[in-house]
């Protein structure tokens, strides 16, 4: 098929929509599988990549300078490794990557990727920019308002599944129950979104309750666990490839893990539009539209958090307005490059909600992360003396054993402190299974 080209990129055409499979990287394993169903509804054939390991890192190092941001190296390495695997028809394959339009490196991934594809001999592969800023357009891919709304809803459902499965997995009586339940709900939610159901606030409230009750019903045995929160740069925070399987490692160490959801980051980016207008004279129309979208997402998030609380079983994260309040105690909202003030606020929120042991995941050399993460630790400890925080750098040259040893030292400190916030929650399980959840 003849591909239309501009001077610098291959265009994804309307004809390609019918013939091409679109690949996107595995940053959010649960969320992206739900979003895939949304793309399918609009006629796109998509696949989430799951290739990982040292081979992906080495591929990234081959085609990306080793001083480049580690998440960029991993994403590009995963793409090219997949294309080199022989699994895909290279004449009918496209790649999709988000492009924020901000000052951080995430805006430059797409250009680094195209350069790497050319170097690897895959110059014919079109790269689709997934953005809401009008940075790039392709005739064969249109991000409409209804499609964007469904993607946002998918992210909220993904957050609930991630939050609840993390609080069930350490205590499940039968190993694998939580993961199996996640699989069931990913398929069900994806099917509902594809048939335009589960999108209104009343429908979402019912589904949020059903999901929460389903996880509360999983047979569990409560026992003492160290409660650990994970914050950091968005890719290494969520991606098992980016953080060397951090959640799995912590589970093996006998921990319960809390990872703040991706919707916090989405609402943070929306609130930044108002900050731009207030501090720097940004666009008033964009600020007003962002405020409307933010209020809608706060209502949806509130419905999800209420469903979690109603079970009486789980710790519900704080709503976004509370994150803003916590962040304001430490850092100005004008610090919004990358994860910005949100990273600091999420650390405080985790401590406040009973996860005093916090791992800050940082790509090596990530300036916004170091300022808002490591740079805020002393101030956070002044406000919360029980805080037990460690910053872990992730890089292609970093040895996983060193990372794990530093985490083990943090966990040893948590055990020595005997901090009650590191103990499990009080027994709050359903009356029908009450005996199964008694603390031992």
């Amino acid at each position: 098929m003849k591909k239309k080209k501009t001077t610098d990129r291959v265009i994804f055409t309307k004809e390609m929509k019918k013939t091409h499979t679109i690949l996107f990287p595995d940053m959010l394993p649960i969320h992206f599988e739900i979003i895939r169903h949304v793309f399918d509804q609009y006629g796109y054939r998509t696949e989430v990549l799951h290739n990982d390991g040292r081979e992906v890192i080495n591929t990234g190092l081959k085609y990306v300078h080793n001083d480049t941001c580690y998440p960029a190296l991993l994403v590009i390495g995963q793409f090219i490794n997949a294309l080199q695997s022989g699994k895909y028809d290279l004449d009918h394959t496209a790649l999709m990557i988000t492009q924020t339009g901000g000052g951080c490196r995430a805006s430059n991934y797409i250009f680094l990727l195209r350069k790497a594809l050319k170097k690897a001999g895959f110059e014919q592969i079109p790269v689709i920019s997934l953005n809401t800023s009008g940075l790039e357009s392709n005739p064969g891919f249109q991000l409409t308002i209804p499609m964007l709304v469904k993607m946002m809803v998918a992210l909220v459902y993904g957050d609930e599944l991630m939050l609840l499965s993390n609080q069930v997995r350490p205590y499940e009586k039968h190993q694998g129950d939580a993961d199996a339940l996640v699989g069931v709900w990913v398929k069900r939610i994806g099917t509902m979104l594809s048939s335009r159901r589960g999108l209104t606030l009343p429908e979402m409230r019912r589904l949020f309750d059903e999901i929460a009750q389903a996880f509360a019903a999983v047979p569990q045995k409560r026992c003492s666990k160290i409660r650990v929160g994970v914050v950091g740069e968005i890719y290494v925070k969520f991606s098992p490839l980016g953080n060397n399987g951090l959640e799995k490692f912590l589970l093996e160490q006998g921990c319960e893990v809390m990872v703040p959801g991706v919707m916090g980051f989405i609402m943070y980016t929306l609130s930044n539009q108002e900050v731009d207008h207030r501090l720097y004279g940004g666009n008033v129309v964009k600020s007003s539209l962002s405020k409307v979208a933010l209020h809608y997402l706060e209502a949806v998030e509130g419905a999800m958090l209420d469903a979690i609380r109603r079970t009486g079983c789980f710790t519900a994260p704080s709503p976004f307005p509370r994150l803003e309040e916590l962040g304001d105690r430490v850092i100005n909202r004008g610090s919004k490059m990358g994860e910005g003030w949100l990273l600091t606020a999420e650390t405080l929120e985790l401590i406040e909600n009973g996860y005093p042991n916090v791992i800050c995941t940082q790509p090596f050399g990530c300036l916004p992360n170091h300022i808002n993460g490591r740079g805020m630790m002393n101030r956070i400890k002044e406000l919360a003396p029980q805080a037990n925080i460690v910053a872990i750098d992730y890089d292609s040259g970093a040895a996983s054993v060193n990372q794990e040893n530093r985490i083990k030292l943090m966990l040893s400190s948590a055990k020595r402190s005997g901090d009650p916030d590191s103990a499990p929650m009080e027994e709050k399980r359903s009356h029908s299974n009450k005996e199964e959840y008694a603390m031992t």
Side-chain angles (χ1 to χ4, degrees):
M1 177 183 295
K2 187 176 180 180
K3 298 176 174 58
K4 294 182 181 180
K5 281 193 65 174
T6 63
T7 56
D8 59 347
R9 66 186 179 100
V10 179
I11 300 296
F12 186 77
T13 65
K14 292 181 180 179
E15 292 78 12
M16 290 180 184
K17 179 179 179 180
K18 304 173 185 176
T19 61
H20 280 53
T21 297
I22 302 173
L23 310 179
F24 46 94
D26 183 18
M27 185 180 81
L28 289 151
I30 295 174
H31 303 65
F32 281 8
E33 284 298 332
I34 301 174
I35 286 177
R36 187 176 59 79
H37 289 274
V38 177
F39 281 108
D40 290 346
Q41 179 193 338
Y42 286 88
Y44 300 100
R45 292 190 291 180
T46 59
E47 182 177 329
V48 181
L49 294 175
H50 297 294
N51 50 323
D52 58 10
R54 189 68 207 182
E55 185 179 355
V56 168
I57 299 173
N58 289 338
T59 302
L61 285 169
K62 185 175 180 180
Y63 296 105
V64 183
H65 195 283
N66 63 354
D67 283 341
T68 300
C69 175
Y70 187 49
L73 185 148
L74 289 177
V75 168
I76 294 170
Q78 189 175 46
F79 274 139
I80 294 181
N81 177 258
L83 296 175
Q84 291 176 337
S85 69
K87 180 180 177 181
Y88 303 99
D89 178 355
L90 300 181
D91 290 326
H92 298 93
T93 301
L95 309 178
M96 179 177 286
I97 191 167
T98 56
Q99 193 177 11
T100 63
C104 200
R105 45 80 200 151
S107 296
N108 300 315
Y109 276 18
I110 195 164
F111 306 107
L112 292 170
L113 175 56
R114 288 187 177 122
K115 182 179 178 180
L117 289 172
K118 183 177 181 180
K119 185 177 180 181
F122 299 125
E123 190 176 3
Q124 79 277 21
I125 304 290
V127 180
I128 303 168
S129 168
L130 182 62
N131 72 85
T132 58
S133 307
L135 295 174
E136 284 190 2
S137 60
N138 288 277
F141 179 79
Q142 301 294 326
L143 186 59
T144 63
I145 296 298
M147 186 178 181
L148 187 60
V149 169
K150 290 176 184 177
M151 290 172 64
M152 290 298 104
V153 172
L155 291 176
V156 181
Y157 286 127
D159 274 357
E160 186 178 19
L161 292 176
M162 179 181 70
L163 291 166
L164 294 178
S165 61
N166 276 340
Q167 293 188 53
V168 169
R169 199 174 288 114
Y171 308 105
E172 59 189 6
K173 275 194 167 184
H174 309 110
Q175 188 174 359
D177 278 358
D179 290 333
L181 192 55
V182 167
V184 169
W185 276 104
V186 164
K187 185 175 181 180
R188 181 177 171 186
I189 293 167
T191 301
M192 292 184 71
L193 294 180
S194 296
S195 58
R196 299 176 176 84
R197 291 180 292 132
L199 292 167
T200 67
L201 197 53
E203 287 178 313
M204 283 188 274
R205 286 196 179 100
R206 287 194 295 271
L207 270 178
F208 291 150
D209 275 324
E210 284 188 51
I211 293 169
Q213 294 299 332
F215 278 91
V218 174
Q220 299 166 58
K221 185 175 182 180
R222 304 299 287 182
C223 55
S224 181
K225 299 283 183 181
I226 297 174
R227 306 178 82 193
V228 180
V230 178
V231 298
E233 189 275 336
I234 191 168
Y235 183 86
V236 295
K237 170 185 171 183
F238 289 119
S239 170
L241 176 60
N243 59 38
N244 292 334
L246 177 60
E247 289 184 48
K248 181 181 178 182
F249 173 75
L250 289 171
L251 188 65
E252 291 170 349
Q253 299 304 307
C255 301
E256 177 193 321
V257 183
M258 170 72 81
V259 184
V262 71
M263 285 310 300
F265 182 80
I266 301 297
M267 289 187 281
Y268 155 79
T269 60
L270 289 171
S271 73
N272 285 341
Q273 298 296 331
E274 189 274 331
V275 172
D276 281 342
H277 176 63
R278 177 165 50 87
L279 296 181
Y280 312 120
N283 188 294
V284 64
V285 175
K286 185 180 291 187
S287 173
S288 299
L289 292 175
S290 297
K291 191 176 295 185
V292 171
L294 179 59
H295 287 165
Y296 167 74
L297 292 180
E298 285 178 353
V300 174
E301 181 197 46
M304 184 260 285
L305 297 179
D306 286 343
I308 293 174
R309 294 190 193 97
R310 275 193 290 272
T311 64
C313 304
F314 304 113
T315 299
S318 299
F320 184 74
R322 180 57 180 164
L323 286 173
E324 292 179 312
E325 293 173 4
L326 290 170
D328 287 343
R329 296 181 181 181
V330 179
I331 191 169
N332 190 283
R333 289 192 214 173
S335 178
K336 58 186 186 61
M337 193 67 67
E339 288 65 38
W341 63 263
L342 178 69
L343 195 162
T344 309
E346 286 185 338
T347 303
L348 288 165
E349 185 260 348
L350 284 166
I351 297 167
E352 183 177 66
N353 285 334
Y355 294 82
N357 311 292
V358 181
I359 297 173
C360 183
T361 59
Q362 304 183 156
F364 179 74
C366 178
L367 186 58
N369 224 249
H370 280 268
I371 291 171
N372 297 287
R374 193 191 300 269
M376 294 294 109
M377 286 184 185
N378 288 340
R379 177 58 178 152
I380 290 172
K381 289 177 181 178
E382 289 176 4
L383 294 175
Q386 75 273 30
N388 179 25
I389 312 172
V390 62
I392 303 295
D393 289 338
Y394 290 89
D395 184 66
S396 59
S400 60
V401 64
N402 291 338
Q403 296 164 345
E404 291 173 356
N405 283 340
R406 293 196 65 207
I407 294 170
K408 286 179 179 179
L409 284 173
M410 183 203 75
L411 298 179
S412 296
S413 176
K415 292 176 182 177
R416 288 196 303 271
S417 72
D419 194 313
D421 285 333
S422 293
M425 294 179 292
E426 297 178 7
E427 180 191 352
K428 297 178 179 179
R429 299 295 173 176
S430 61
H431 297 296
S432 59
N433 291 317
K434 195 169 184 178
E435 70 279 1
E436 296 179 349
Y437 304 124
M439 289 170 54
T440 58

